[in-house]
Amino acid sequence: MKRRKFLVLGSLLGLSPYIEAKETSSFEKSFKKVKETIAAVQDHMFPKNTKLPSATEMHAIAFLFETVKHKSYDKDIRAFVLEGAEELITREKGKFVLMDSAEKEKALRAYEETSYGRNWLSRIMTLTMEGLFSDPVYGANINESGWKALNAYGGKPRAKKRYVIDEV
Amino acid sequence: MKYDVVIVGSGASGGAVAYTLTQAGYKVAVLEKGRLLKREEFSKDELAYCRRDIVTPNLFDEYHTIEEKVDGKWETTPTYDSGWSFWNGNVVGGSSNFMSGMLHRMHPDDFRLKSKYGEIKGANVVDWPIGYDEMEPYYVKAEELVGISGKYKKHPFEPPRSTADFTQPPTNENAVVKLLDKSCKALDITPLVTPRAVLSRNKEHRNACFYSNFCGSYGCESGAKGSSREALLIPALATGNLTLMSNSYVKSLHTSKKEAVDYAVVVDTVTGKERHIYAKLFVVAAQAHESARLLLNSGNRLHPDGLGNSSGELGKNLIFSAGGSGQGELHEESLKEISFKELMQTGLFVNRSILDWYFIDHWWDGTFKGGSVEFMFEHQNIISRARKNNEESGKLVWGSALGEKLTDRFKKQKSIRFEIFNDWLPNDNCFVALDPIHKDKYGMPVGKLRVEAHPQDLKVGKYIAKKCEKVLEEMGAKNIYSGVSSSPPQNLVAGGCRFGDDPKHSVLNKYCQSHDVPNLFVADASFMPTGGSVPYTWTIYANAFRVADHIVATLKKVL
């Protein structure tokens, strides 16, 4: 299946205005509108007091923003990250971030029932895992907490710069 | 300036030709589309090297179109749409930087597959125009120069050697080999030590492996891996005869007379400036599907169907490595023979291959060409392992349950894996042509790959997979599974410029020289009419050394 069709299939919004947010220049502005929602989803998936470090403690939302904005990130998926969050906001009538944990669980499991929602939730989980388990140079594996939790460590030499060539 | 030789591509074959020619005193330019990475930049950064296009082009800029049969009809999808990249390591040294380095020589019968097994319906199998004897000295040269470590053990399907053993002993092994060897013995299977293009001892400017736990898919900071970059290009540069031009994309090769290429049309990928680079002789080594594309893109009124394509065979009979893989979990509570602590020791290699099923001649199963098997641990990448374990019964797992699941997966078990390599039979529906619509960012038509496999490939892969599953069962592994697919592994590609004695049915002669254009050679895996049932890399190195010797002899005559 073609990538674009796959990403938008089942979305209430369809081909949304976020297409322009494929470009890194307009991404930051669009991201601000959905940041709180994405952070709440990350926090629900990786809460405190489990065997893994929490998304909040590891600043996973900052990592997600920097990662998705980066030029190496797929521009279609960049738009999809925003669209999927907007879709969740719309589905839950803007109340997702205000919900308690049980309500969030119910809302996310319902979203997961749609193929679109499942793809988006899977993408957010992947982006969070990329933060927690990537080299600490990317900022979300603080003190190697993600690696320590799994007793699995990145090899040497470690990255000195993000994406090999970026300045830290 | 006019160089003696221009080489397009700096991977395994380009490096071997550059090494030989510069040692012989010729002035050589290597044109590499990608950039030069310093050794210290080869970190084990999973995010950069394994999850982003850092060493391959962005698919929206440069891509292929892939043609597959869907519901009986051919359907074409650009790779920017599917995300299925067919690029492999576009940096100085090419994909040899990122290989796992598990290498085998091809068997003498691989050079005469048609004579040995006869016609196979729907497959374009032919014998090679050379035999194993002509390649053997170059297998030795590659083994010694590239630095392949191993330990020879006589086996009915192990190709003969002119030297007694490897100059480098095997790399250090995880204790799991005790369990694997014992399990194989119980099943009357002979495990062999895998020859590996990784140094176990220091060699000249290169240091021995330091067992980082992350080898395949990553570059090597110690220089232990036998990449073109470390083993060949660095010594070639030391001669003073090599000009290495990175960030140099070759759009086409120009002919103003029918029998000779006179210059390469090159774009600086940083500035966008175009220039012509002249040489007496040109060697194409851009990886099989891209080499054929370059020659097709070099057509003009003198070569209307593509450069060196009077046979009409250019791009045809593209092959991949057929086969599949499987794995099983070794759990702490049910582990035999070795301690769990030994199993969990990181960095050490598994280093075991099975050649017992290379040729099948069985009273019940029949007589057919089989394949080889490599054993290894599951790739140790942390993000990808975590991602593979984040669902249950079709639903994502998160919260406390995810923490339990991942810590159990990482701390209480380790997966052992096998990979099967068998022949991808060349056929009429596996080829590369120019896409009539799509162009890359430099304005050149992209390669359109049709990638259908022959049904026999799947049959062989499944036959071997069942046997490998038995080995894992004997080892006490749990949750064993395997997958054999007709989907091509894009990093194991060959063919498209077949060599042969008949100019009407092949693109290259036995020395990989164009039948049509004498100052044009193709040195990469494009020449291979059949691929054997092993990874191609050792044969690519060996053949490129063989071709390079012929080029030296040719240059001596004309210069």
Side-chain angles (χ1 to χ4, degrees), chain A residues 2-3 45 51 67 105 109 112-113 118 125-126 130 138 149-150 152 155-157 165, chain B residues 35 43-45 51-52 80-81 214 387 390-391 394-399 404 411:
Chain A
K2 311 255 188 226
R3 183 208 306 251
M45 288 176 163
K51 288 187 172 177
T67 299
E105 178 71 13
R109 289 301 176 194
E112 193 186 17
E113 290 297 316
R118 183 187 158 77
M125 179 172 282
T126 296
E130 285 186 343
Y138 291 94
L150 301 179
K156 289 180 181 165
I165 51 169
Chain B
R35 57 198 161 103
S43 67
K44 308 302 178 184
D45 182 343
R51 304 185 64 79
R52 300 290 185 267
Y80 63 73
D81 230 344
F214 297 85
R387 277 191 73 245
N390 69 351
E391 59 178 73
K395 286 194 174 299
L396 288 168
V397 178
W398 55 58
E404 294 291 337
K411 292 181 175 179

mmCIF file of all heavy atoms in Angstrom, chain A residues 2-3 45 51 67 105 109 112-113 118 125-126 130 138 149-150 152 155-157 165, chain B residues 35 43-45 51-52 80-81 214 387 390-391 394-399 404 411:
data_model
loop_
_atom_site.group_PDB
_atom_site.id
_atom_site.type_symbol
_atom_site.label_atom_id
_atom_site.label_comp_id
_atom_site.label_asym_id
_atom_site.label_seq_id
_atom_site.Cartn_x
_atom_site.Cartn_y
_atom_site.Cartn_z
ATOM 1 N N LYS A 2 0.449 2.255 -0.730
ATOM 2 C CA LYS A 2 1.223 3.491 -0.779
ATOM 3 C C LYS A 2 1.234 4.133 0.602
ATOM 4 O O LYS A 2 0.245 4.107 1.321
ATOM 5 C CB LYS A 2 0.612 4.472 -1.771
ATOM 6 C CG LYS A 2 0.318 3.861 -3.120
ATOM 7 C CD LYS A 2 1.312 4.287 -4.142
ATOM 8 C CE LYS A 2 0.891 3.819 -5.520
ATOM 9 N NZ LYS A 2 1.928 3.222 -6.279
ATOM 10 N N ARG A 3 2.349 4.743 0.914
ATOM 11 C CA ARG A 3 2.570 5.252 2.254
ATOM 12 C C ARG A 3 1.524 6.302 2.659
ATOM 13 O O ARG A 3 0.914 6.228 3.714
ATOM 14 C CB ARG A 3 3.951 5.878 2.311
ATOM 15 C CG ARG A 3 4.334 6.378 3.668
ATOM 16 C CD ARG A 3 5.285 7.513 3.562
ATOM 17 N NE ARG A 3 6.444 7.167 2.754
ATOM 18 C CZ ARG A 3 7.663 6.989 3.252
ATOM 19 N NH1 ARG A 3 7.861 7.054 4.536
ATOM 20 N NH2 ARG A 3 8.688 6.757 2.480
ATOM 21 N N MET A 45 1.699 5.856 28.384
ATOM 22 C CA MET A 45 2.390 4.637 27.933
ATOM 23 C C MET A 45 3.603 4.315 28.810
ATOM 24 O O MET A 45 3.918 3.163 29.063
ATOM 25 C CB MET A 45 2.869 4.821 26.485
ATOM 26 C CG MET A 45 1.764 4.798 25.454
ATOM 27 S SD MET A 45 2.466 5.141 23.818
ATOM 28 C CE MET A 45 1.130 4.568 22.778
ATOM 29 N N LYS A 51 9.026 -0.577 35.668
ATOM 30 C CA LYS A 51 10.415 -1.026 35.547
ATOM 31 C C LYS A 51 11.187 -0.235 34.493
ATOM 32 O O LYS A 51 12.372 -0.468 34.290
ATOM 33 C CB LYS A 51 10.444 -2.514 35.228
ATOM 34 C CG LYS A 51 10.036 -3.376 36.406
ATOM 35 C CD LYS A 51 10.241 -4.848 36.122
ATOM 36 C CE LYS A 51 10.009 -5.650 37.395
ATOM 37 N NZ LYS A 51 10.136 -7.101 37.152
ATOM 38 N N THR A 67 13.325 15.239 17.297
ATOM 39 C CA THR A 67 13.515 14.126 16.357
ATOM 40 C C THR A 67 12.645 14.282 15.122
ATOM 41 O O THR A 67 13.108 14.126 13.992
ATOM 42 C CB THR A 67 13.173 12.799 17.074
ATOM 43 O OG1 THR A 67 14.059 12.648 18.159
ATOM 44 C CG2 THR A 67 13.297 11.610 16.140
ATOM 45 N N GLU A 105 -6.959 5.465 29.441
ATOM 46 C CA GLU A 105 -6.801 4.084 28.978
ATOM 47 C C GLU A 105 -7.958 3.717 28.052
ATOM 48 O O GLU A 105 -7.757 3.151 26.972
ATOM 49 C CB GLU A 105 -6.757 3.142 30.197
ATOM 50 C CG GLU A 105 -6.646 1.655 29.875
ATOM 51 C CD GLU A 105 -5.280 1.250 29.313
ATOM 52 O OE1 GLU A 105 -4.323 2.044 29.382
ATOM 53 O OE2 GLU A 105 -5.180 0.132 28.748
ATOM 54 N N ARG A 109 -7.485 2.929 24.099
ATOM 55 C CA ARG A 109 -7.831 1.589 23.599
ATOM 56 C C ARG A 109 -8.913 1.689 22.520
ATOM 57 O O ARG A 109 -8.914 0.919 21.562
ATOM 58 C CB ARG A 109 -8.303 0.691 24.750
ATOM 59 C CG ARG A 109 -7.202 0.263 25.713
ATOM 60 C CD ARG A 109 -6.088 -0.514 25.031
ATOM 61 N NE ARG A 109 -4.984 -0.834 25.940
ATOM 62 C CZ ARG A 109 -3.788 -1.261 25.538
ATOM 63 N NH1 ARG A 109 -3.527 -1.408 24.245
ATOM 64 N NH2 ARG A 109 -2.842 -1.536 26.414
ATOM 65 N N GLU A 112 -7.188 2.788 19.472
ATOM 66 C CA GLU A 112 -6.397 1.678 18.938
ATOM 67 C C GLU A 112 -7.254 0.740 18.077
ATOM 68 O O GLU A 112 -6.731 0.034 17.223
ATOM 69 C CB GLU A 112 -5.750 0.893 20.090
ATOM 70 C CG GLU A 112 -4.670 -0.071 19.635
ATOM 71 C CD GLU A 112 -4.150 -0.948 20.768
ATOM 72 O OE1 GLU A 112 -4.832 -1.032 21.814
ATOM 73 O OE2 GLU A 112 -3.088 -1.563 20.607
ATOM 74 N N GLU A 113 -8.539 0.729 18.333
ATOM 75 C CA GLU A 113 -9.440 -0.134 17.553
ATOM 76 C C GLU A 113 -9.489 0.274 16.081
ATOM 77 O O GLU A 113 -9.812 -0.524 15.215
ATOM 78 C CB GLU A 113 -10.867 -0.094 18.133
ATOM 79 C CG GLU A 113 -11.014 -0.777 19.482
ATOM 80 C CD GLU A 113 -10.719 -2.271 19.409
ATOM 81 O OE1 GLU A 113 -11.197 -2.915 18.467
ATOM 82 O OE2 GLU A 113 -9.974 -2.768 20.273
ATOM 83 N N ARG A 118 -4.320 2.981 15.679
ATOM 84 C CA ARG A 118 -3.300 2.014 16.062
ATOM 85 C C ARG A 118 -1.942 2.398 15.479
ATOM 86 O O ARG A 118 -0.921 2.339 16.147
ATOM 87 C CB ARG A 118 -3.703 0.616 15.589
ATOM 88 C CG ARG A 118 -2.711 -0.423 16.036
ATOM 89 C CD ARG A 118 -2.964 -1.794 15.455
ATOM 90 N NE ARG A 118 -1.717 -2.563 15.515
ATOM 91 C CZ ARG A 118 -1.241 -3.117 16.612
ATOM 92 N NH1 ARG A 118 -1.908 -3.024 17.738
ATOM 93 N NH2 ARG A 118 -0.094 -3.771 16.605
ATOM 94 N N MET A 125 4.666 5.385 20.384
ATOM 95 C CA MET A 125 5.451 4.481 21.234
ATOM 96 C C MET A 125 6.866 4.323 20.676
ATOM 97 O O MET A 125 7.851 4.364 21.419
ATOM 98 C CB MET A 125 4.766 3.119 21.349
ATOM 99 C CG MET A 125 5.593 2.172 22.211
ATOM 100 S SD MET A 125 4.770 0.638 22.605
ATOM 101 C CE MET A 125 3.678 1.160 23.904
ATOM 102 N N THR A 126 6.965 4.161 19.362
ATOM 103 C CA THR A 126 8.288 4.019 18.750
ATOM 104 C C THR A 126 9.135 5.260 19.018
ATOM 105 O O THR A 126 10.305 5.164 19.402
ATOM 106 C CB THR A 126 8.149 3.804 17.230
ATOM 107 O OG1 THR A 126 7.480 2.566 17.025
ATOM 108 C CG2 THR A 126 9.496 3.763 16.539
ATOM 109 N N GLU A 130 12.538 5.294 21.037
ATOM 110 C CA GLU A 130 13.765 5.823 20.419
ATOM 111 C C GLU A 130 14.464 6.784 21.371
ATOM 112 O O GLU A 130 15.692 6.828 21.429
ATOM 113 C CB GLU A 130 13.440 6.517 19.090
ATOM 114 C CG GLU A 130 13.139 5.536 17.965
ATOM 115 C CD GLU A 130 12.966 6.187 16.603
ATOM 116 O OE1 GLU A 130 12.759 7.422 16.551
ATOM 117 O OE2 GLU A 130 13.017 5.478 15.595
ATOM 118 N N TYR A 138 21.153 12.095 22.540
ATOM 119 C CA TYR A 138 19.884 12.609 22.017
ATOM 120 C C TYR A 138 18.993 13.197 23.121
ATOM 121 O O TYR A 138 17.934 13.752 22.833
ATOM 122 C CB TYR A 138 19.135 11.513 21.251
ATOM 123 C CG TYR A 138 19.835 11.139 19.961
ATOM 124 C CD1 TYR A 138 20.734 10.069 19.917
ATOM 125 C CD2 TYR A 138 19.626 11.866 18.796
ATOM 126 C CE1 TYR A 138 21.403 9.739 18.751
ATOM 127 C CE2 TYR A 138 20.287 11.543 17.624
ATOM 128 C CZ TYR A 138 21.175 10.483 17.607
ATOM 129 O OH TYR A 138 21.835 10.167 16.448
ATOM 130 N N ALA A 149 17.734 0.055 32.795
ATOM 131 C CA ALA A 149 16.490 -0.680 33.077
ATOM 132 C C ALA A 149 16.480 -2.033 32.372
ATOM 133 O O ALA A 149 15.953 -3.016 32.892
ATOM 134 C CB ALA A 149 15.288 0.144 32.647
ATOM 135 N N LEU A 150 17.078 -2.087 31.182
ATOM 136 C CA LEU A 150 17.068 -3.333 30.406
ATOM 137 C C LEU A 150 18.381 -4.111 30.533
ATOM 138 O O LEU A 150 18.512 -5.211 29.980
ATOM 139 C CB LEU A 150 16.822 -3.021 28.924
ATOM 140 C CG LEU A 150 15.509 -2.297 28.598
ATOM 141 C CD1 LEU A 150 15.413 -2.019 27.107
ATOM 142 C CD2 LEU A 150 14.310 -3.117 29.057
ATOM 143 N N ALA A 152 20.959 -3.433 29.031
ATOM 144 C CA ALA A 152 21.440 -3.528 27.645
ATOM 145 C C ALA A 152 22.005 -2.161 27.281
ATOM 146 O O ALA A 152 21.304 -1.160 27.380
ATOM 147 C CB ALA A 152 20.290 -3.889 26.710
ATOM 148 N N GLY A 155 26.841 0.162 22.148
ATOM 149 C CA GLY A 155 28.252 -0.198 21.989
ATOM 150 C C GLY A 155 29.163 1.014 21.957
ATOM 151 O O GLY A 155 28.707 2.156 21.933
ATOM 152 N N LYS A 156 30.446 0.708 21.949
ATOM 153 C CA LYS A 156 31.442 1.776 21.886
ATOM 154 C C LYS A 156 32.102 1.765 20.513
ATOM 155 O O LYS A 156 32.250 0.691 19.942
ATOM 156 C CB LYS A 156 32.459 1.588 23.002
ATOM 157 C CG LYS A 156 31.825 1.904 24.336
ATOM 158 C CD LYS A 156 32.801 1.720 25.467
ATOM 159 C CE LYS A 156 32.069 2.050 26.784
ATOM 160 N NZ LYS A 156 32.767 1.602 27.953
ATOM 161 N N PRO A 157 32.497 2.879 19.987
ATOM 162 C CA PRO A 157 32.398 4.197 20.602
ATOM 163 C C PRO A 157 30.970 4.732 20.599
ATOM 164 O O PRO A 157 30.187 4.425 19.712
ATOM 165 C CB PRO A 157 33.292 5.068 19.713
ATOM 166 C CG PRO A 157 33.259 4.398 18.386
ATOM 167 C CD PRO A 157 33.133 2.936 18.665
ATOM 168 N N ILE A 165 26.646 13.890 12.364
ATOM 169 C CA ILE A 165 27.238 15.145 11.908
ATOM 170 C C ILE A 165 26.691 16.390 12.595
ATOM 171 O O ILE A 165 27.282 17.444 12.516
ATOM 172 C CB ILE A 165 27.056 15.322 10.381
ATOM 173 C CG1 ILE A 165 25.593 15.102 10.010
ATOM 174 C CG2 ILE A 165 27.975 14.410 9.610
ATOM 175 C CD1 ILE A 165 25.275 15.513 8.598
ATOM 176 N N ARG B 35 29.675 10.487 1.186
ATOM 177 C CA ARG B 35 30.741 11.271 1.804
ATOM 178 C C ARG B 35 31.769 10.372 2.482
ATOM 179 O O ARG B 35 31.573 9.165 2.619
ATOM 180 C CB ARG B 35 30.158 12.258 2.795
ATOM 181 C CG ARG B 35 29.329 11.668 3.885
ATOM 182 C CD ARG B 35 28.480 12.782 4.508
ATOM 183 N NE ARG B 35 27.362 12.245 5.240
ATOM 184 C CZ ARG B 35 27.315 12.161 6.558
ATOM 185 N NH1 ARG B 35 28.319 12.532 7.286
ATOM 186 N NH2 ARG B 35 26.249 11.674 7.155
ATOM 187 N N SER B 43 30.375 5.428 15.127
ATOM 188 C CA SER B 43 29.912 5.111 16.479
ATOM 189 C C SER B 43 28.823 4.041 16.383
ATOM 190 O O SER B 43 28.395 3.679 15.297
ATOM 191 C CB SER B 43 29.337 6.363 17.136
ATOM 192 O OG SER B 43 28.156 6.741 16.454
ATOM 193 N N LYS B 44 28.379 3.562 17.537
ATOM 194 C CA LYS B 44 27.306 2.552 17.551
ATOM 195 C C LYS B 44 25.986 3.257 17.866
ATOM 196 O O LYS B 44 25.284 2.922 18.821
ATOM 197 C CB LYS B 44 27.624 1.460 18.578
ATOM 198 C CG LYS B 44 29.013 0.844 18.430
ATOM 199 C CD LYS B 44 29.243 0.219 17.062
ATOM 200 C CE LYS B 44 30.658 -0.345 16.962
ATOM 201 N NZ LYS B 44 30.959 -0.886 15.636
ATOM 202 N N ASP B 45 25.717 4.263 17.095
ATOM 203 C CA ASP B 45 24.528 5.103 17.276
ATOM 204 C C ASP B 45 23.364 4.466 16.510
ATOM 205 O O ASP B 45 23.231 4.647 15.307
ATOM 206 C CB ASP B 45 24.858 6.512 16.752
ATOM 207 C CG ASP B 45 23.719 7.492 16.924
ATOM 208 O OD1 ASP B 45 22.571 7.059 17.137
ATOM 209 O OD2 ASP B 45 23.986 8.705 16.827
ATOM 210 N N ARG B 51 18.298 3.597 11.945
ATOM 211 C CA ARG B 51 16.900 4.008 11.892
ATOM 212 C C ARG B 51 16.660 5.273 11.070
ATOM 213 O O ARG B 51 15.538 5.729 10.961
ATOM 214 C CB ARG B 51 16.358 4.196 13.325
ATOM 215 C CG ARG B 51 16.535 2.946 14.187
ATOM 216 C CD ARG B 51 15.885 3.088 15.555
ATOM 217 N NE ARG B 51 14.461 3.221 15.448
ATOM 218 C CZ ARG B 51 13.609 2.220 15.254
ATOM 219 N NH1 ARG B 51 14.069 0.984 15.133
ATOM 220 N NH2 ARG B 51 12.319 2.436 15.178
ATOM 221 N N ARG B 52 17.722 5.855 10.524
ATOM 222 C CA ARG B 52 17.577 7.047 9.689
ATOM 223 C C ARG B 52 18.467 6.896 8.443
ATOM 224 O O ARG B 52 19.386 6.098 8.422
ATOM 225 C CB ARG B 52 18.007 8.305 10.457
ATOM 226 C CG ARG B 52 17.215 8.576 11.722
ATOM 227 C CD ARG B 52 15.774 9.002 11.463
ATOM 228 N NE ARG B 52 15.111 9.359 12.724
ATOM 229 C CZ ARG B 52 14.395 8.511 13.470
ATOM 230 N NH1 ARG B 52 14.222 7.255 13.081
ATOM 231 N NH2 ARG B 52 13.848 8.911 14.606
ATOM 232 N N TYR B 80 10.110 5.818 -2.267
ATOM 233 C CA TYR B 80 9.759 6.886 -1.314
ATOM 234 C C TYR B 80 8.350 6.680 -0.786
ATOM 235 O O TYR B 80 7.986 7.179 0.274
ATOM 236 C CB TYR B 80 9.918 8.284 -1.924
ATOM 237 C CG TYR B 80 9.026 8.594 -3.108
ATOM 238 C CD1 TYR B 80 7.666 8.818 -2.965
ATOM 239 C CD2 TYR B 80 9.573 8.665 -4.389
ATOM 240 C CE1 TYR B 80 6.857 9.094 -4.053
ATOM 241 C CE2 TYR B 80 8.776 8.946 -5.493
ATOM 242 C CZ TYR B 80 7.412 9.161 -5.318
ATOM 243 O OH TYR B 80 6.615 9.416 -6.395
ATOM 244 N N ASP B 81 7.560 5.896 -1.521
ATOM 245 C CA ASP B 81 6.193 5.635 -1.094
ATOM 246 C C ASP B 81 6.116 4.423 -0.163
ATOM 247 O O ASP B 81 5.317 4.388 0.761
ATOM 248 C CB ASP B 81 5.328 5.382 -2.336
ATOM 249 C CG ASP B 81 4.067 6.215 -2.320
ATOM 250 O OD1 ASP B 81 3.723 6.732 -1.251
ATOM 251 O OD2 ASP B 81 3.437 6.340 -3.377
ATOM 252 N N PHE B 214 28.116 -4.751 18.494
ATOM 253 C CA PHE B 214 27.302 -4.167 17.417
ATOM 254 C C PHE B 214 28.171 -4.137 16.163
ATOM 255 O O PHE B 214 28.946 -3.209 15.967
ATOM 256 C CB PHE B 214 26.844 -2.759 17.794
ATOM 257 C CG PHE B 214 25.942 -2.731 19.002
ATOM 258 C CD1 PHE B 214 26.466 -2.694 20.279
ATOM 259 C CD2 PHE B 214 24.563 -2.766 18.856
ATOM 260 C CE1 PHE B 214 25.646 -2.685 21.401
ATOM 261 C CE2 PHE B 214 23.732 -2.755 19.964
ATOM 262 C CZ PHE B 214 24.272 -2.719 21.247
ATOM 263 N N ARG B 387 11.048 -2.591 20.408
ATOM 264 C CA ARG B 387 9.869 -2.425 19.544
ATOM 265 C C ARG B 387 9.228 -3.761 19.167
ATOM 266 O O ARG B 387 8.021 -3.867 19.006
ATOM 267 C CB ARG B 387 10.259 -1.687 18.265
ATOM 268 C CG ARG B 387 10.285 -0.190 18.416
ATOM 269 C CD ARG B 387 10.400 0.475 17.064
ATOM 270 N NE ARG B 387 9.174 0.401 16.309
ATOM 271 C CZ ARG B 387 9.021 -0.270 15.168
ATOM 272 N NH1 ARG B 387 10.013 -0.961 14.650
ATOM 273 N NH2 ARG B 387 7.877 -0.261 14.543
ATOM 274 N N ASN B 390 6.547 -5.134 21.926
ATOM 275 C CA ASN B 390 5.615 -4.182 22.544
ATOM 276 C C ASN B 390 4.157 -4.479 22.211
ATOM 277 O O ASN B 390 3.313 -3.599 22.274
ATOM 278 C CB ASN B 390 5.971 -2.739 22.156
ATOM 279 C CG ASN B 390 5.713 -2.463 20.684
ATOM 280 O OD1 ASN B 390 5.430 -3.372 19.918
ATOM 281 N ND2 ASN B 390 5.804 -1.208 20.296
ATOM 282 N N GLU B 391 3.867 -5.722 21.872
ATOM 283 C CA GLU B 391 2.448 -6.032 21.689
ATOM 284 C C GLU B 391 2.109 -7.463 22.104
ATOM 285 O O GLU B 391 2.990 -8.324 22.185
ATOM 286 C CB GLU B 391 1.998 -5.771 20.252
ATOM 287 C CG GLU B 391 2.718 -6.539 19.185
ATOM 288 C CD GLU B 391 2.132 -6.214 17.809
ATOM 289 O OE1 GLU B 391 2.371 -5.105 17.313
ATOM 290 O OE2 GLU B 391 1.443 -7.083 17.267
ATOM 291 N N GLY B 394 -2.260 -8.795 19.421
ATOM 292 C CA GLY B 394 -2.631 -7.747 18.475
ATOM 293 C C GLY B 394 -2.830 -6.370 19.084
ATOM 294 O O GLY B 394 -3.228 -5.438 18.385
ATOM 295 N N LYS B 395 -2.556 -6.231 20.367
ATOM 296 C CA LYS B 395 -2.713 -4.907 20.998
ATOM 297 C C LYS B 395 -1.367 -4.434 21.546
ATOM 298 O O LYS B 395 -0.552 -5.238 22.007
ATOM 299 C CB LYS B 395 -3.715 -4.989 22.152
ATOM 300 C CG LYS B 395 -5.162 -5.108 21.680
ATOM 301 C CD LYS B 395 -6.090 -4.844 22.851
ATOM 302 C CE LYS B 395 -7.537 -4.812 22.414
ATOM 303 N NZ LYS B 395 -7.836 -3.753 21.440
ATOM 304 N N LEU B 396 -1.174 -3.129 21.513
ATOM 305 C CA LEU B 396 0.046 -2.568 22.087
ATOM 306 C C LEU B 396 0.050 -2.785 23.599
ATOM 307 O O LEU B 396 -1.008 -2.722 24.239
ATOM 308 C CB LEU B 396 0.130 -1.072 21.793
ATOM 309 C CG LEU B 396 0.434 -0.686 20.336
ATOM 310 C CD1 LEU B 396 0.196 0.813 20.137
ATOM 311 C CD2 LEU B 396 1.862 -1.041 19.964
ATOM 312 N N VAL B 397 1.231 -3.037 24.113
ATOM 313 C CA VAL B 397 1.384 -3.170 25.568
ATOM 314 C C VAL B 397 2.040 -1.893 26.070
ATOM 315 O O VAL B 397 3.011 -1.423 25.481
ATOM 316 C CB VAL B 397 2.289 -4.378 25.907
ATOM 317 C CG1 VAL B 397 2.490 -4.486 27.416
ATOM 318 C CG2 VAL B 397 1.695 -5.649 25.357
ATOM 319 N N TRP B 398 1.508 -1.293 27.116
ATOM 320 C CA TRP B 398 2.133 -0.103 27.691
ATOM 321 C C TRP B 398 1.982 -0.103 29.204
ATOM 322 O O TRP B 398 1.373 -1.003 29.784
ATOM 323 C CB TRP B 398 1.583 1.168 27.044
ATOM 324 C CG TRP B 398 0.085 1.368 27.058
ATOM 325 C CD1 TRP B 398 -0.736 1.414 28.134
ATOM 326 C CD2 TRP B 398 -0.755 1.590 25.905
ATOM 327 N NE1 TRP B 398 -2.033 1.648 27.741
ATOM 328 C CE2 TRP B 398 -2.076 1.771 26.381
ATOM 329 C CE3 TRP B 398 -0.530 1.668 24.532
ATOM 330 C CZ2 TRP B 398 -3.164 2.004 25.521
ATOM 331 C CZ3 TRP B 398 -1.607 1.913 23.686
ATOM 332 C CH2 TRP B 398 -2.912 2.083 24.186
ATOM 333 N N GLY B 399 2.568 0.888 29.823
ATOM 334 C CA GLY B 399 2.488 0.978 31.287
ATOM 335 C C GLY B 399 3.326 -0.084 31.971
ATOM 336 O O GLY B 399 4.346 -0.531 31.442
ATOM 337 N N GLU B 404 7.383 -4.887 32.549
ATOM 338 C CA GLU B 404 7.582 -6.310 32.883
ATOM 339 C C GLU B 404 8.038 -7.085 31.646
ATOM 340 O O GLU B 404 8.970 -7.882 31.699
ATOM 341 C CB GLU B 404 6.269 -6.918 33.401
ATOM 342 C CG GLU B 404 5.773 -6.364 34.724
ATOM 343 C CD GLU B 404 6.659 -6.751 35.903
ATOM 344 O OE1 GLU B 404 7.370 -7.766 35.802
ATOM 345 O OE2 GLU B 404 6.657 -6.016 36.915
ATOM 346 N N LYS B 411 16.430 -9.499 30.032
ATOM 347 C CA LYS B 411 17.284 -9.977 31.124
ATOM 348 C C LYS B 411 17.228 -11.473 31.355
ATOM 349 O O LYS B 411 18.109 -12.038 31.992
ATOM 350 C CB LYS B 411 16.903 -9.260 32.431
ATOM 351 C CG LYS B 411 17.228 -7.778 32.436
ATOM 352 C CD LYS B 411 16.838 -7.173 33.776
ATOM 353 C CE LYS B 411 17.253 -5.719 33.876
ATOM 354 N NZ LYS B 411 16.850 -5.125 35.154
#
